[in-house]
Amino acid sequence: MVGALYRTDGERLWRAVYGFAQDREVASDAVAEAFAQCLARGDAVRSPKAWVWRAAFRIAAGELQRRGRLTPLTGDPAYEMAEQDDELLRALAALPGRQRAALVLRYYAGYDANGIAEILGCSAATVRVHVSRGRKRLETLLGGHDD
């Protein structure tokens, strides 16, 4: 089950965590650790997909908090995130962590407010606030682009 989940969601999860963390190493470590922990827990995990997504974001957030900052973008971020551009990644990096996570999970990973709330450990109403504020801030940062 976890192996199949890795094959279907692994790359997508990595890209979402990378969009949140803005750091290749953090994204790779968080995704690998989330899948490893899920595998170790076995049948104790009721919903592996939701558990792995939640765990990966929490692991990444913990590492970023431990570092006390976000690592600046270097190199060509479009190499791993072909669907995103540098300008968007830089704008995402300027957002607070929860807003960034909510936007990435909503618009890149396709989760609804309830799914995001489960992953982030907050209410759906809080998620809607983060998405709304994040969109407004992105619009300002991107000069009014609405995509």
Side-chain angles (χ1 to χ4, degrees), residues 11-132:
E11 184 178 338
R12 187 167 156 237
L13 174 58
W14 186 92
R15 289 174 187 232
V17 174
Y18 176 73
F20 164 66
Q22 303 288 305
D23 185 295
R24 290 180 178 97
E25 182 180 332
V26 169
S28 296
D29 290 350
V31 170
E33 182 65 21
F35 276 104
Q37 287 182 18
C38 185
L39 192 58
R41 284 174 170 73
D43 293 335
V45 177
R46 288 181 303 169
S47 176
K49 182 176 181 176
W51 193 95
V52 165
W53 276 80
R54 181 174 50 251
F57 272 83
R58 287 185 178 170
I59 291 166
E63 178 59 22
L64 292 173
Q65 184 176 21
R66 186 187 70 74
R67 291 180 180 193
R69 60 173 173 73
L70 289 176
T71 304
L73 289 174
T74 58
D76 181 13
Y79 174 73
E80 274 92 358
M81 285 191 76
E83 298 163 24
Q84 304 296 330
D85 62 32
D86 290 345
E87 183 181 15
L88 177 58
L89 288 172
R90 291 184 198 289
L92 281 169
L95 297 177
R98 289 283 182 152
Q99 287 178 13
R100 185 172 52 254
L103 288 172
V104 168
L105 287 167
R106 174 68 186 102
Y107 295 106
Y108 182 77
Y111 280 89
D112 64 11
N114 291 328
I116 297 167
E118 184 178 343
I119 290 169
L120 297 181
C122 60
S123 71
T126 300
V127 167
R128 287 188 287 275
V129 169
H130 287 316
V131 168
S132 176

